[in-house]
Amino acid sequence: MSMYRHFMALRHISRRSIGTSVCRQVDNKVPLKQKMFQEDNGIPIHLKGGPKDALLYRATMTLTIAGTAYLLYELFNAACPKKKD
């Protein structure tokens, strides 16, 4: 019987959660986000998230344009090698 009791105690311990923190109830924000993104207010979908989205969009466009310009510059340099004296 002792072995059975140890097995049951182990089974009980394994079912308990490992963390000691209390479970918190989190509000469901999905319906609010759906309402915000589905609203027809003339703003493009990639900018409806607010100022953070606008900043991220501008940074992405700036890096894309700068990278394309640098690529074209390097391609031009590779296509037109410098003359040796």
Side-chain angles (χ1 to χ4, degrees):
M1 278 309 257
S2 176
M3 186 72 148
Y4 179 73
R5 246 187 273 169
H6 289 296
F7 176 72
M8 292 305 284
L10 182 64
R11 187 172 157 206
H12 178 68
I13 290 171
S14 67
R15 284 187 181 180
R16 289 185 3 197
S17 63
I18 294 174
T20 58
S21 62
V22 177
C23 294
R24 296 183 194 157
Q25 189 68 17
V26 179
D27 292 336
N28 186 7
K29 297 179 184 179
V30 173
L32 295 174
K33 293 285 187 184
Q34 284 177 338
K35 185 177 180 182
M36 179 179 72
F37 280 97
Q38 291 175 355
E39 184 178 319
D40 187 19
N41 55 4
I43 299 174
I45 191 72
H46 59 276
L47 297 176
K48 284 192 176 187
K52 289 181 189 177
D53 281 352
L55 181 66
L56 183 61
Y57 174 74
R58 288 184 183 131
T60 302
M61 287 297 113
T62 302
L63 288 173
T64 301
I65 292 169
T68 303
Y70 183 70
L71 173 77
L72 293 174
Y73 171 77
E74 287 297 326
L75 282 174
F76 180 76
N77 280 343
C80 301
K82 295 182 181 180
K83 297 178 183 177
K84 292 185 178 182
D85 291 330

